[in-house]
Amino acid sequence: MAQDVGDCLASFHSEMLVSQPLAGLRVLILEDEFLIAMDVEQLCRDNGAADVIILRRLEDYQPPVDGGFDVAIVDVMLDGTPTLDFARELQDRGTPFVFASGYTDSEEIRRAFPEVSLIGKPYAGDDLIAAVALAAGRSGQTDWLDVRRPPSP
């Protein structure tokens, strides 16, 4: 009987990750465009995110004491300010993230962050969620989505 319950719970957990690939994650969104930020927030919540934090300016960032977030969605420019130094801090801390930006042709980004997904605006919500889930280590749950990594140099 215990094995049946365990199997049932494992199956439920697996199905939940497929239907809600961001289940339980705390997501940081760096986006200066208000409507895009709100849309991405709702997209994350619809896909199971437990909490969503939006920053529209880097000056507003205050490092949380408890880690604060599990994964980040980073626009390359916030109100004219590059976010690459912030992205390097995330990378140095081992915090997974993806770039979601209109600046998709930048070789600097591809060279500095070869393993980070770069989703170009405008993007499909499914592509963004798949990239975030993949960054957060949930790759087995997003095989059906079209995620593009930048080409290796």
Side-chain angles (χ1 to χ4, degrees):
M1 175 91 174
Q3 181 64 15
D4 291 338
V5 171
D7 289 345
C8 203
L9 287 174
S11 176
F12 174 77
H13 180 69
S14 179
E15 286 177 28
M16 185 171 167
L17 285 178
V18 170
S19 66
Q20 301 226 317
L22 306 184
L25 292 178
R26 298 168 300 167
V27 181
L28 172 67
I29 300 169
L30 272 72
E31 174 58 64
D32 57 348
E33 296 290 332
F34 178 76
L35 292 177
I36 293 173
M38 303 309 321
D39 188 44
V40 172
E41 175 186 21
Q42 190 60 52
L43 189 60
C44 289
R45 291 187 188 284
D46 289 348
N47 282 277
D51 193 19
V52 180
I53 304 160
I54 297 173
L55 284 180
R56 296 185 54 213
R57 297 177 331 146
L58 280 176
E59 299 82 37
D60 296 338
Y61 179 72
Q62 296 186 10
V65 234
D66 64 349
F69 53 92
D70 303 305
V71 65
I73 300 169
V74 180
D75 193 350
V76 174
M77 296 288 279
L78 284 185
D79 201 28
T81 304
T83 60
L84 297 183
D85 288 339
F86 182 83
R88 279 187 198 91
E89 288 178 32
L90 292 175
Q91 191 173 48
D92 290 345
R93 282 186 290 193
T95 303
F97 66 97
V98 301
F99 287 112
S101 181
Y103 297 92
T104 57
D105 295 332
S106 175
E107 275 305 307
E108 178 184 6
I109 296 168
R110 295 184 199 288
R111 277 193 311 275
F113 304 96
E115 297 300 316
V116 176
S117 292
L118 175 59
I119 308 300
K121 290 179 185 173
Y123 46 76
D126 286 346
D127 287 345
L128 180 62
I129 294 302
V132 173
L134 184 65
R138 298 187 174 179
S139 61
Q141 308 305 324
T142 59
D143 295 337
W144 56 277
L145 294 173
D146 180 21
V147 178
R148 296 173 198 92
R149 288 206 178 270
S152 298

